[in-house]
């Protein structure tokens, strides 16, 4: 720490103590507030003077203690460290003693307190704030669930870090763990999935983190939400139709085209805009699951084993052979699915042939009418 800084630090500290003492002695009743009968106005620069003190604690109604130390170095290194004074988020604190805080025990979430800070976030970060207001989290909060995520649950309070502008992969690992605090089951499933194993285990930036599929701020309701169900298709194919990316992993680059070509995809594509109504056809996650996605070639054969059950969710009378009706994401070739390949081939030749014959017939017909007209005859063509 530079000497100058240390000296100023000490001076301010002495000042603060004097001010406090003055407040206590009632020698200077400069501000009198309903919730702080006697006290002293505080300038923002004074906050760290007391709050940098290690082990500064506040006793709560239950007798337990809440730490009120804000580690100065951590705060300084945070995104706001050099730009924000403490009162930017704690505007309610204008003097000492501070307004009484109605918090029973440290383990309880102090929602009014958090809400005050998050309203402050909104004054500077309007777009994120507005999106958040419509989110499943804000709705849950409004419905009286105090444990729904507020800005500081995901971002922290005094240790906030820069969000990476290239929001993919590695930069989002901390965000996955922030979700995990509250969504334990989803996290466990995700961690064991092809996607989660790669991101959390190998640091592979090409697989999705939670917020690639769930926008962190607008965070729409995911379960039983018809619009989200429809969007899920676009989310999966944003990567799985990217041929360059999928080639790297030796995966089919024809996921979307094979899906659209099949009975489920074809109808899902035909009726894309029935908003408010959930697509009834199988979406990617009906067969693959959403969080617990497994490799389709893994030795455990879990996908194959679960496939019949997946079909039966919608085709109640599906029998053991039923899953074979799904030809998969690979285009049929003479080796893989020869029957489908040849029938499709014959079909294509037949259709093209029929169309050619028809077009030829019409062309000959037009030619005949044209020649007849040229000859000046008024008679209909023969
Ligand atoms: C003179 C020392 C001192 C100064 C200066 C000070 N605080 Fe505090 N603060 C405390 C103590 C001690 C507590 C523990 C609760 C109590 O005793 O009121 C506390 C508690 C808090 C709390 C948590 C409890 C609550 O009331 O919400 C916040 C937030 C807080 N201070 C913010 C600030 C801000 C912002 C400033 C600057 C404007 C500031 N403090 C200045 C000593 C101080
Ligand atoms: C960007 C907004 C922001 C700034 C700037 C900020 N705080 Fe906070 N502060 C918060 C939030 C949010 C919480 C609640 C954290 C929680 O409970 O998860 C909090 C909590 C606190 C607490 C109570 C301890 C607790 O965990 O509840 C104290 C004390 C405090 N802040 C002091 C300060 C001081 C001192 C500064 C300046 C050095 C400061 N804050 C700057 C947002 C901020
Ligand atoms: C559920 C967790 C979560 C909540 C709640 C949340 N954020 Fe974020 N926020 C993130 C993640 C993850 C990122 C980085 C990823 C991204 O940008 O897509 C981010 C990015 C940001 C950014 C950087 C700019 C940007 O869009 O990339 C700002 C600013 C921000 N959040 C502010 C807020 C504010 C203000 C609130 C409260 C109104 C809030 N956030 C609530 C998770 C959250
Ligand atoms: C008084 C205005 C102000 C308030 C209040 C404020 N911020 Fe910020 N915030 C800023 C500024 C300015 C920056 C940019 C700092 C920089 O670029 O060095 C920033 C940066 C950020 C970033 C990093 C953005 C990025 O692009 O990576 C996040 C995340 C963030 N703030 C979240 C929050 C949250 C959450 C709150 C409330 C708890 C909050 N801020 C309160 C002004 C504010
Ligand atoms: C502080 C705890 C907390 C954190 C952190 C948190 N959430 Fe939530 N989340 C909740 C609560 C509570 C609900 C409401 C659940 C309910 O209504 O039953 C919810 C709802 C949701 C929903 C809608 C659930 C549904 O039924 O459709 C999604 C999706 C979601 N969160 C994803 C995330 C993601 C992704 C992250 C991390 C970026 C995250 N959450 C971080 C607590 C949290
Ligand atoms: C590959 C995309 C994807 C990823 C990655 C993902 N989700 Fe989901 N999530 C979905 C889909 C799709 C649904 C809707 C499932 C449904 O309707 O049954 C969903 C549903 C949810 C729900 C609602 C309740 C439930 O379990 O169905 C929550 C909460 C949730 N996700 C949280 C998370 C969290 C936390 C993470 C990260 C650990 C995460 N998600 C990662 C796609 C994803
Ligand atoms: C951000 C890009 C991205 C998104 C979004 C995404 N995936 Fe993936 N997915 C990948 C990558 C990359 C791999 C290859 C991982 C590996 O093999 O190590 C993969 C692997 C898979 C596999 C395993 C393939 C195999 O047999 O090895 C399946 C199945 C899968 N994804 C399904 C889905 C579904 C369903 C969704 C939507 C709910 C989805 N993915 C969303 C990038 C993505
Ligand atoms: C989420 C529900 C859902 C799941 C899961 C599902 N399907 Fe379907 N499937 C449908 C719907 C709806 C149709 C009717 C499509 C149309 O023509 O509009 C359909 C049509 C079909 C058809 C065309 C013949 C018929 O019965 O109409 C076959 C074959 C089929 N599915 C096979 C499968 C197989 C194999 C699986 C499992 C791997 C499966 N489906 C899983 C909803 C589902
Ligand atoms: C009707 C069930 C069903 C639906 C719907 C479905 N899949 Fe599959 N998927 C499978 C089966 C079975 C396999 C394994 C056989 C194969 O590779 O064709 C598979 C394989 C995969 C693979 C591995 C391909 C490879 O090269 O080994 C990926 C990636 C994949 N699916 C992603 C998706 C995506 C993305 C969607 C949505 C566009 C989707 N799946 C829709 C059943 C389905």
């Amino acid at each position: 720490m530079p000497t100058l800084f240390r000296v100023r630090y000490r001076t301010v500290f002495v000042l603060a103590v004097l001010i406090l003492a003055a407040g206590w002695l009632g020698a200077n009743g400069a501000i009198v507030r309903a919730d702080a009968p006697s006290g002293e106005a505080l300038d923002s620069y004074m906050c760290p003077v007391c709050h940098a003190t290690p082990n500064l604690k506040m006793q709560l109604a239950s007798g337990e203690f809440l730490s009120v130390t804000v580690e100065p170095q951590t705060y300084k290194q945070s995104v706001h460290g050099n730009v924000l004074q403490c009162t930017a988020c704690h505007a309610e604190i204008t003097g000492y003693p501070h307004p009484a805080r109605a918090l029973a025990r440290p383990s309880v979430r102090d929602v009014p307190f958090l809400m005050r800070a998050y309203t402050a976030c909104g004054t500077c970060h309007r777009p994120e704030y507005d999106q958040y207001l419509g989110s499943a989290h804000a709705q849950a909060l409004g419905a009286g669930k105090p444990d729904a995520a507020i800005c500081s649950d995901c971002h922290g309070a005094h240790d906030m870090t820069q969000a990476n502008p290239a929001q993919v992969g590695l930069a989002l690992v901390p965000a996955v763990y922030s979700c995990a605090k509250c969504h334990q089951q989803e996290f466990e499933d995700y961690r064991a999935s092809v996607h989660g194993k790669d991101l959390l285990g190998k640091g592979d930036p090409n697989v999705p983190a939670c917020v690639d599929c769930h926008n962190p701020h607008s965070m729409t309701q995911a379960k039983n939400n018809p619009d989200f169900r429809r969007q899920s298709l676009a989310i999966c194919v944003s990567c799985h139709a990217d041929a360059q990316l999928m080639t790297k992993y030796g995966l089919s680059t024809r996921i979307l085209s094979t899906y659209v070509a099949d009975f489920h995809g074809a109808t899902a594509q035909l009726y894309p805009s029935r908003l408010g109504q959930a697509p009834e056809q199988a979406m990617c996650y009906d067969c693959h699951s959403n969080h617990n996605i497994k490799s389709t070639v893994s030795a455990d054969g879990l996908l194959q084993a679960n496939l019949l059950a997946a079909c039966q969710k919608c085709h109640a009378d599906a029998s053991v052979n039923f899953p074979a009706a799904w030809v998969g994401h690979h285009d049929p070739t003479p080796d893989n699915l020869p029957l489908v390949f040849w029938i499709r081939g014959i079909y294509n030749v037949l259709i093209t042939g029929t169309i050619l014959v028809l077009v030829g017939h019409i062309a000959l017909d037009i030619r005949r009418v044209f020649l007849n007209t040229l000859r000046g005859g008024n008679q209909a063509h023969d």
Side-chain angles (χ1 to χ4, degrees):
M1 210 187 279
T3 326
L4 182 65
F5 185 63
R6 208 185 301 146
V7 169
R8 262 189 59 200
Y9 208 79
R10 209 182 301 136
T11 319
V12 172
F13 181 73
V14 171
L15 238 168
V17 171
L18 285 178
I19 289 170
L20 273 177
W24 277 326
L25 294 172
N28 181 348
I31 53 156
V32 179
R33 300 153 53 104
D35 45 3
S38 68
E40 187 50 74
L42 287 173
D43 274 330
S44 252
Y45 72 87
M46 293 175 182
C47 319
V49 174
C50 295
H51 284 281
T53 315
N55 273 327
L56 192 66
K57 287 190 181 120
M58 170 180 180
Q59 190 160 28
L60 303 177
S62 63
E64 292 163 285
F65 289 95
L66 173 74
S67 165
V68 290
T69 300
V70 177
E71 220 282 298
Q73 210 49 36
T74 310
Y75 182 68
K76 216 169 162 43
Q77 282 164 2
S78 78
V79 270
H80 296 130
N82 292 317
V83 285
L84 254 60
Q85 293 189 316
C86 312
T87 43
C89 297
H90 300 292
E92 77 280 10
I93 295 191
T94 51
Y96 193 90
H98 303 331
R101 189 173 168 187
L103 176 63
R105 37 182 5 126
S107 52
V108 172
R109 271 164 73 77
D110 191 348
V111 176
F113 184 79
L114 293 171
M115 295 283 272
R116 271 201 297 276
Y118 113 95
T119 314
C121 315
T123 58
C124 301
H125 301 289
R126 197 77 217 180
E128 289 80 10
Y129 180 76
D130 285 344
Q131 283 187 323
Y132 173 83
L133 289 184
S135 70
H137 287 138
Q139 277 161 13
L141 208 61
K145 290 186 180 157
D147 51 350
I150 304 180
C151 317
S152 49
D153 290 311
C154 301
H155 288 288
H158 308 126
D159 53 353
M160 226 175 274
T161 51
Q162 193 84 33
N164 190 328
Q167 283 308 338
V168 284
L170 298 186
L172 295 178
V173 170
V176 172
Y177 287 108
S178 81
C179 313
K181 282 185 290 190
C182 304
H183 298 288
Q184 197 61 36
Q185 186 56 52
E186 286 81 5
F187 172 73
E188 292 302 341
D189 286 348
Y190 170 80
R191 179 159 58 180
S193 74
V194 264
H195 294 145
K197 256 194 227 156
D198 273 17
L199 179 63
L200 303 177
K202 298 187 210 148
D204 181 345
N206 295 323
V207 288
C210 312
V211 293
D212 284 308
C213 298
H214 303 285
N215 180 308
H217 302 125
S218 56
M219 191 61 72
T220 37
Q221 180 80 28
K223 206 155 185 72
N224 305 326
N225 177 351
D227 296 333
F228 188 72
R229 179 167 165 81
R230 185 175 294 102
Q231 281 164 24
S232 71
L233 191 62
I235 294 172
C236 306
V237 302
S238 68
C239 294
H240 283 285
D242 181 340
Q244 217 180 350
L245 179 64
M246 287 304 132
T247 312
K248 273 196 219 157
Y249 295 89
L251 293 178
S252 167
T253 56
R254 310 270 298 150
I255 297 281
L256 181 61
S257 50
T258 50
Y259 174 74
V260 169
D262 117 63
F263 22 82
H264 297 130
T267 22
Q269 290 279 311
L270 272 178
Y271 304 109
S273 56
R274 279 195 206 151
L275 285 180
Q277 194 182 328
E280 293 161 352
Q281 301 80 11
M283 296 285 114
C284 316
Y285 70 83
D286 288 317
C287 296
H288 290 288
S289 135
N290 50 357
H291 302 136
N292 194 13
I293 297 176
K294 293 283 192 251
S295 165
T296 55
V297 292
S298 66
D300 60 13
L302 210 62
L303 177 76
Q304 281 72 11
N306 291 341
L307 208 53
L308 178 59
C311 309
Q312 281 170 336
K313 274 187 281 182
C314 304
H315 302 281
D317 48 357
S319 62
V320 188
N321 292 329
F322 189 74
W326 161 253
V327 296
H329 298 297
H330 293 271
D331 286 325
T333 63
D335 301 328
N336 152 40
L337 302 167
L339 195 64
V340 180
F341 176 80
W342 290 115
I343 289 180
R344 223 178 246 190
I346 293 168
Y347 205 60
N348 285 346
V349 169
L350 268 179
I351 291 180
T352 324
T354 313
I355 290 176
L356 281 179
V357 169
L358 269 175
V359 168
H361 183 83
I362 293 169
L364 284 174
D365 206 35
I366 291 175
R367 180 174 163 274
R368 169 57 46 206
V369 174
F370 186 64
L371 287 180
N372 286 351
T373 322
L374 266 192
R375 274 189 216 133
N378 249 355
Q379 72 271 49
H381 73 92
D382 37 353

